[in-house]
Amino acid sequence: RQRYEALLEEAGHDGLTGLLDRGRFDRECPAAVRGAVAIGRPLSLLLIDIDHFKQINDEHGHAVGDEALRRIAREMGFATRAGDRIFRYGGEEFVVVCDGLAHAPALVTAERLRRTIAATEIAGLARPVTASIGVATAPEDGGILAELFGTADARLYAAKEGGRDRVIGRMPPQRPEGTMDWAEKRPA
């Protein structure tokens, strides 16, 4: 098992979850954001934190916590697009990088992930595991990875402060009173 985990680490994968690891995120994502911004393609970053994870470890033990992370990682893979890249960023934090995904569909993806995590059954846990998610999209929320990550992180903390188990992203622009959007202007 130790040799297997060492091989995963060398390949840029997290030994526990099999997801891409933080080192690979740090190496590859700055260029991905720069490249997307340079050609005018959106790139969304979803920062996910499992709510009250320390409590899971404290009350049920690290083996249950590890199983929760493995199961959640697996289910997140099913709930994202084939080209999306999922990284284990830290203990119970994950980052999903969605190249070519604008902000509104990224919010839909984040909500799907939030619901998927809550629906994931973990042996030994009587209540569902929940997650808080912050969403940021280049170029509007940042033109470099540090800016994009900082915005997603601020939104993640807003989700936690707002009660957890929620997605926070950029609010859509408000229409001035009396104006119509494109759908209302279409002929019947």
Side-chain angles (χ1 to χ4, degrees):
R1 178 170 172 83
Q2 288 175 331
R3 287 188 356 195
Y4 172 73
E5 288 178 4
L7 284 173
L8 282 177
E9 190 174 310
E10 285 177 27
H13 290 269
D14 175 62
L16 178 65
T17 64
L19 297 175
L20 299 171
D21 67 13
R22 166 85 182 262
R24 195 143 170 201
F25 175 85
D26 291 340
R27 287 189 305 275
E28 296 176 6
C29 289
V33 173
R34 280 193 310 273
V37 168
I39 62 171
R41 182 180 64 235
L43 181 142
S44 291
L45 189 143
L46 288 56
L47 184 54
I48 303 166
D49 188 75
I50 305 303
D51 297 327
H52 305 294
F53 190 74
K54 183 181 182 318
Q55 187 177 354
I56 293 170
N57 280 336
D58 290 349
E59 292 178 8
H60 303 282
H62 288 277
V64 171
D66 287 352
E67 181 60 20
L69 292 174
R70 278 192 289 272
R71 294 281 316 214
I72 289 167
R74 180 175 172 263
E75 295 301 319
M76 283 195 308
F78 294 135
T80 53
R81 302 174 309 164
D84 293 341
R85 306 187 76 203
I86 307 172
F87 300 85
R88 182 173 180 206
Y89 190 76
E92 69 277 3
E93 281 190 323
F94 303 91
V95 178
V96 182
V97 176
C98 307
D99 196 6
L101 195 63
H103 198 71
L107 291 172
V108 171
T109 297
E111 179 60 21
R112 183 173 53 248
L113 284 167
R114 186 194 65 76
R115 289 178 186 210
T116 295
I117 291 167
T120 301
E121 293 183 18
I122 311 296
L125 293 182
R127 60 182 167 76
V129 175
T130 63
S132 300
I133 305 175
V135 180
T137 303
E140 298 87 356
D141 294 321
I144 61 172
L145 180 62
E147 293 170 347
L148 199 61
F149 190 90
T151 300
D153 194 40
R155 291 175 180 160
L156 168 65
Y157 278 95
K160 288 193 166 291
E161 289 173 2
R164 301 180 192 269
D165 190 22
R166 64 191 63 222
V167 171
I168 300 284
R170 183 177 351 106
M171 298 303 291
Q174 298 297 314
R175 293 186 302 170
E177 194 66 36
T179 61
M180 292 187 271
D181 70 15
W182 71 271
E184 295 169 318
K185 293 179 186 175
R186 291 185 303 172

